[in-house]
């Protein structure tokens, strides 16, 4: 309802009314109307979720777009907004950034020397080696952030606890990079935060649209909830367990 959706009577009242509505959907004429209403509710849910993400960059879906077309439209729109702001920023590896990265690694739960060395090697190879004493463009920064996130996500999906802990440490480093990006580009920080939020929301939405059973990219609330859990990159899905995962 907060998304502007009008559920069917059965969906609103629940329990007995919902059971009666479920039975009635198999009756001629009445059943077709109920099925159509429920389908519209799912469509409206999809549009509401996507528009909530697009609202962060002050836009919304065209009225007649749904399913995969809606996912493509929203993804392209957010990507264009991201490129627009990245073209205006730059990033350097200054003393504060370096100190905060080291601080994130020190705070991470890396108990063995092998874990700590592996984390340092990943950070050096993926990120620090790209600077060579110069400022990076916004697009170059984005490439580093993307590669670091991909490596961290892969490690968090590992079957070994030691690698999952390294992945969690890399996400901590990624957070420090993001803080420094905002700090070094303060005039653009509000725009960056909005685009970042829209981008993160779309990541969850795309997971939902790709889930098994999401016909033509149209997802149900249950499939969206599954995607929220899949998209939780905290160690052991702790954010989802606490009810604080992205879009939960």
């Amino acid at each position: 309802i907060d998304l502007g959706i009008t559920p069917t009577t059965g969906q609103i009242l629940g329990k007995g009314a919902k059971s009666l509505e479920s039975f009635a959907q198999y009756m001629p004429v009445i059943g077709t109307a109920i099925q159509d209403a429920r389908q519209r509710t799912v469509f409206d849910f999809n549009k509401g979720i996507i528009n909530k993400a697009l609202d962060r960059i002050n836009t919304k879906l065209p009225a007649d777009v749904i399913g995969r077309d809606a996912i493509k439209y929203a993804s392209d729109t957010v990507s264009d907004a991201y490129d627009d702001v990245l073209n205006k920023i730059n990033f350097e590896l200054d003393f504060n950034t370096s100190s905060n990265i080291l601080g994130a690694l020190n705070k991470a739960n890396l108990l063995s020397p092998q874990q700590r060395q592996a984390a340092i090697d990943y950070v050096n190879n993926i990120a620090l080696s790209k600077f060579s004493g110069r400022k990076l463009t916004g697009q170059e920064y984005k490439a580093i952030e993307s590669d670091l996130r991909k490596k961290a996500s892969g490690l968090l999906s590992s079957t070994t606890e030691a690698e999952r802990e390294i992945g969690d440490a890399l996400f901590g480093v990624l957070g420090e990079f993001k803080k420094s990006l905002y700090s070094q580009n303060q005039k653009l920080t509000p725009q960056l935060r909005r685009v970042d939020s829209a981008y993160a929301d779309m990541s969850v939405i795309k997971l939902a649209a790709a889930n098994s059973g999401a016909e033509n990219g149209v997802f149900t609330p249950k499939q969206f909830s599954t995607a929220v859990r899949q998209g939780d990159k905290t160690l052991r899905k702790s954010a989802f367990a606490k009810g604080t995962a992205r879009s939960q």
Side-chain angles (χ1 to χ4, degrees):
I1 291 172
D2 289 340
L3 292 171
I5 300 165
T6 303
T8 65
T9 302
Q11 289 170 328
I12 293 173
L13 297 179
K15 296 184 179 178
K18 188 174 182 181
S19 298
L20 182 60
E21 187 177 88
S22 297
F23 176 77
Q25 70 176 314
Y26 297 106
M27 299 173 65
V29 184
I30 295 175
T32 301
I34 291 173
Q35 290 170 9
D36 288 348
R38 287 188 171 185
Q39 187 65 66
R40 283 196 303 274
T41 300
V42 174
F43 285 171
D44 288 345
F45 172 75
N46 278 240
K47 288 183 177 181
I49 290 292
I50 296 171
N51 278 331
K52 188 175 181 182
L54 291 179
D55 185 60
R56 299 185 188 278
I57 54 173
N58 302 315
T59 188
K60 64 179 181 179
L61 289 172
D64 58 345
V65 176
I66 193 64
R68 293 194 181 100
D69 288 340
I71 301 298
K72 184 179 186 309
Y73 178 91
S75 297
D76 290 348
T77 301
V78 172
S79 181
D80 288 346
Y82 213 156
D83 288 341
D84 179 62
V85 69
L86 285 175
N87 289 334
K88 303 172 185 174
I89 67 174
N90 53 52
F91 185 85
E92 65 177 331
L93 188 65
D94 57 17
F95 177 78
N96 285 337
T97 303
S98 301
S99 298
N100 292 337
I101 289 171
L102 289 174
L105 289 173
N106 283 331
K107 288 187 290 185
N109 185 32
L110 302 177
L111 301 180
S112 73
Q114 292 83 0
Q115 282 180 303
R116 292 192 288 273
Q117 188 60 54
I120 290 170
D121 288 344
Y122 285 133
V123 173
N124 280 331
N125 294 335
I126 295 172
L128 304 187
S129 62
K130 304 296 193 300
F131 288 89
S132 301
R134 66 185 182 89
K135 286 186 177 182
L136 301 184
T137 65
Q139 294 293 348
E140 288 172 326
Y141 167 83
K142 183 182 179 182
I144 288 176
E145 185 181 290
S146 177
D147 290 344
L148 197 56
R149 180 179 287 107
K150 189 180 298 182
K151 173 57 69 174
S153 297
L155 289 167
L156 274 179
S157 301
S158 172
T159 56
T160 67
E161 182 71 7
E163 288 194 337
R164 290 196 293 271
E165 289 170 348
I166 295 171
D168 192 50
L170 293 187
F171 269 113
V173 170
L174 189 60
E176 294 304 329
F177 269 112
K178 183 68 74 177
K179 289 177 186 176
S180 292
L181 180 71
Y182 293 153
S183 176
Q184 293 179 29
N185 298 272
Q186 293 186 21
K187 289 184 178 179
L188 291 167
T189 293
Q191 186 180 353
L192 267 170
R193 288 187 184 278
R194 289 194 299 270
V195 176
D196 275 337
S197 293
Y199 189 88
D201 287 347
M202 285 306 304
S203 296
V204 177
I205 290 168
K206 285 188 282 188
L207 279 175
N211 272 338
S212 176
E215 190 172 346
N216 295 319
V218 176
F219 50 88
T220 64
K222 185 175 182 180
Q223 288 161 343
F224 184 72
S225 179
T226 299
V228 169
R229 186 181 187 282
Q230 290 172 327
D232 177 16
K233 301 304 182 184
T234 56
L235 191 62
R236 304 183 194 91
K237 305 292 183 185
S238 61
F240 188 83
K242 293 183 287 188
T244 59
R246 184 92 202 174
S247 300
Q248 190 167 4

